[in-house]
Each structure stands twice: as C-alpha cells, then as structure tokens.
Amino acid sequence: MRFSPRAVGLASALVTVLIWTAFIVIARASAQRTLSPFDIAFLRIVGASVVLMPWALWRARRERRSPAGFSGSLGGLSPLPLRPTLVLGLFGGLAYAVLAYSGFFFAPAAHGSVLMPGSLPLWASLLSIWLLGDRPPAARVFGLGLILLGDLLVGGASLLGALSGQGTVWKGDLLFMAASSCWATYSVLVRRTGADAVRATMAVTALALLSFVPVFALLTQSGLLPTRLGSAPWGEIVFQLLFQGVGSVVISGIAFTRMIQYFGPVRSTMITALVPGLSALGAVWLLGEPMHWNLMLGLALVTAGIAAGVLPSRSAGWLPLFSKPAKGLR
C-alpha cells in the first residue's frame, strides 16, 4: 500500500501552509532582532545548501555510473540541465529572495504577509493562461474574487496608509508584489518543465548558492552592504539557519512543488492564500496583536474562495487516500 497522489498533495499543502504561516509570524517577531533581511537571506541559502548540496552531489555521482549518464549542471550541484536550472533558480530562488527580503527594508512584515501569498493566485492565474493555455472554470474565477476580497480585508487598512504616499512603505509593497510574481512564475514553470520536487528545489538552491552568497560576501566585506552577522547571538543565527534554510527552503520547497504537481499552479497558490489570515491569527495569539472583525471576515472569505476554486466537483468524485501501486510499479 502506498499513499495516493491525492494524499501526498493534501499533506504537501498542509505542510506548505503551516511553514509559510510560521515564516510570516517569525518575520514579524524578528523585525526588532539583530539580523538584517539580507543576513537572513544569506542564512536561508547556506542552511538549505548544507542539506541539499551533498545530497545533489551524491545523486550526480550515482547517475554518472548509470547507463543514462548525468544530465545535470553546475558541476553536479544541480540535477537539472543548465537552462531549467537558470530559469527556475532565477525566479524561485535568487529574484524571489532578493525582492522579498528587500521589501522588509521599507515595509512592515504585515504588508508582506498580505501581498506576497495574497497576490499569488492572481499572478499564477494570469501566467497559466499565458504560458499553459489554461482556461479557468467559473468556480475558480469566483473563488479568486473571494480570495482577493478577503486579502484586502485582512491587510487593507495597513495598505491604505502606504497608498497615501507617506514615507517609503510603497517601495516595500512594490517589492513584495514583484516577489510574489516571481514565485508565481516559478510555480507555473515547474509545472511546464515537469521537474520533480526534490530536483527543482536542489536546482534553485544551487543557483542561489553560486550567485547570491559570493555577491553577499563581497559587498559585506567591502562595506557596501551592512551586516550584523558578527554581532548576532549564536542562538539567533542557528535558529534562522534551521528554520529559513531547512524549513522554508528544503521542507517547504519540496512540499510546495509536490503540491503543484497534484493541484496545479493556480489551485496551489489559491491554497496558500490562507497564509495572510492564519499568520494574522498567529500574531494575535503569539505576539499579542489586536483582533479585529476584518481579520475574521477576511479569513472566512479566503477559505470560501479556496473551497470554491480548489475542491473537486461532485461529478469528479473523491480519490481514496490510499491506493495500491500499479502492477508494473511493484
């Protein structure tokens, strides 16, 4: 007996939403801590590389001994050919990380919690129509409308202040939206290329390791980019290595890609639209932030939108959680 694709897809969705929600709550709690956003991005890549790069090299050595040979790139660090490595790594790793963490320089984490996961369904829908020829059914379009309305209710009050032109918050909001569009592009391209979850995550991490880390080291050593790694407590550094690297990249990256393989890019990003409301509830419970009516109503609308756009119709039926493998796969 094996887990069916539906069971794996649902489990991957649960893991992704939980880790993304924890990421936002931790980002809010870490706003007044020692490390800068670029320091955290550096630790995110290093933490993921410690786990994935030895694994990738081991896979490359094994594939080189096989009759088919090794089809990867970057000296064995990426299991994918160079072109998909560059494309997936650019959108899903390098550009996303730089844009997202840069946004925290200008806008509060609450804005990121709404704009990054909240706008993903819209970007993914547009890209799927353009790149995959997708034609979303009416139920999914209706669900997208509910999700966008719910996200506006959750973060609308804080975003309206930015639209008034006060300060530089609008710059962070634009960076968060750009980061969201990059992640949506990654989601659609993963589906288009057919890369499996582990290989895609390895490729993204390999490109980030070979590009972001050397540039970060050069800029910090020359004094052009300030860093607080030298003054940060070891406990904070280790925590960010484990959570950002192992949790947010390795576990969440693999789970998100598996979710795309089952639900597709649009429905997957609709599921992650739960993150703004859940992270706001987490901030109320863990950080003592106030509870407002718009939070509860917004979360209800997002949940209804996901149900309308993600759940299968009655005519499609429900697959069992466990299924027997096909004879040829035993």
Side-chain angles (χ1 to χ4, degrees):
M1 301 294 290
R2 295 180 180 178
F3 287 106
S4 70
R6 175 174 175 264
V8 174
L10 291 174
S12 300
L14 177 62
V15 170
T16 301
V17 169
L18 289 177
I19 293 180
W20 283 26
T21 301
F23 170 81
I24 297 297
V25 175
I26 290 172
R28 293 190 185 188
S30 302
Q32 304 302 321
R33 303 285 292 184
T34 308
L35 295 172
S36 70
F38 280 122
D39 292 335
I40 297 176
F42 170 77
L43 294 174
R44 171 189 175 99
I45 296 170
V46 171
S49 299
V50 169
V51 176
L52 292 177
M53 293 304 93
W55 188 5
L57 291 173
W58 175 80
R59 286 174 58 118
R61 184 183 307 171
R62 188 180 62 176
E63 289 181 9
R64 286 191 178 100
R65 297 173 181 173
S66 66
F70 177 64
S71 60
S73 58
L74 301 183
L77 293 178
S78 172
L80 298 179
L82 184 59
R83 184 175 179 178
T85 295
L86 293 176
V87 174
L88 295 179
L90 175 62
F91 288 103
L94 187 60
Y96 172 77
V98 171
L99 291 170
Y101 286 107
S102 297
F104 289 110
F105 277 106
F106 303 100
H111 287 221
S113 69
V114 174
L115 290 175
M116 284 195 288
S119 60
L120 269 177
L122 178 61
W123 290 120
S125 297
L126 295 176
L127 289 168
S128 293
I129 293 172
W130 177 36
L131 296 176
L132 303 180
D134 187 27
R135 292 295 180 266
R140 189 179 302 171
V141 175
F142 176 71
L144 282 170
L146 292 179
I147 288 171
L148 292 176
L149 180 59
D151 287 333
L152 287 175
L153 280 173
V154 173
S158 61
L159 296 177
L160 284 177
L163 295 177
S164 64
Q166 300 175 356
T168 59
V169 174
W170 62 273
K171 297 181 181 179
D173 292 343
L174 289 179
L175 289 169
F176 289 143
M177 290 287 287
S180 179
S181 68
C182 286
W183 190 258
T185 304
Y186 167 77
S187 305
V188 174
L189 290 176
V190 164
R191 183 64 176 265
R192 187 177 186 180
T193 59
D196 67 75
V198 175
R199 290 159 62 90
T201 307
M202 286 178 176
V204 167
T205 304
L207 185 65
L209 175 65
L210 296 179
S211 56
F212 180 87
V213 171
V215 173
F216 175 84
L218 179 62
L219 293 179
T220 54
Q221 290 300 314
S222 62
L224 296 176
L225 181 66
T227 178
R228 303 170 192 163
L229 286 172
S231 58
W234 275 105
E236 184 177 353
I237 292 177
V238 172
F239 173 80
Q240 297 292 356
L241 279 170
L242 293 176
F243 178 78
Q244 300 289 348
V246 180
S248 294
V249 177
V250 180
I251 299 176
S252 176
I254 293 174
F256 181 81
T257 309
R258 291 297 297 268
M259 181 171 62
I260 292 173
Q261 293 170 348
Y262 178 74
F263 288 106
V266 177
R267 292 198 296 168
S268 294
T269 53
M270 291 177 73
I271 294 172
T272 59
L274 274 170
V275 172
L278 292 178
S279 61
L281 287 175
V284 169
W285 179 39
L286 298 173
L287 305 180
E289 294 187 3
M291 170 74 76
H292 298 293
W293 64 269
N294 61 308
L295 170 60
M296 301 304 299
L297 180 57
L299 183 58
L301 286 172
V302 168
T303 304
I306 292 172
V310 175
L311 296 180
S313 62
R314 290 183 179 179
S315 60
W318 291 88
L319 296 174
L321 287 178
F322 298 93
S323 63
K324 294 182 179 180
K327 293 182 178 180
L329 299 178
R330 290 180 182 176

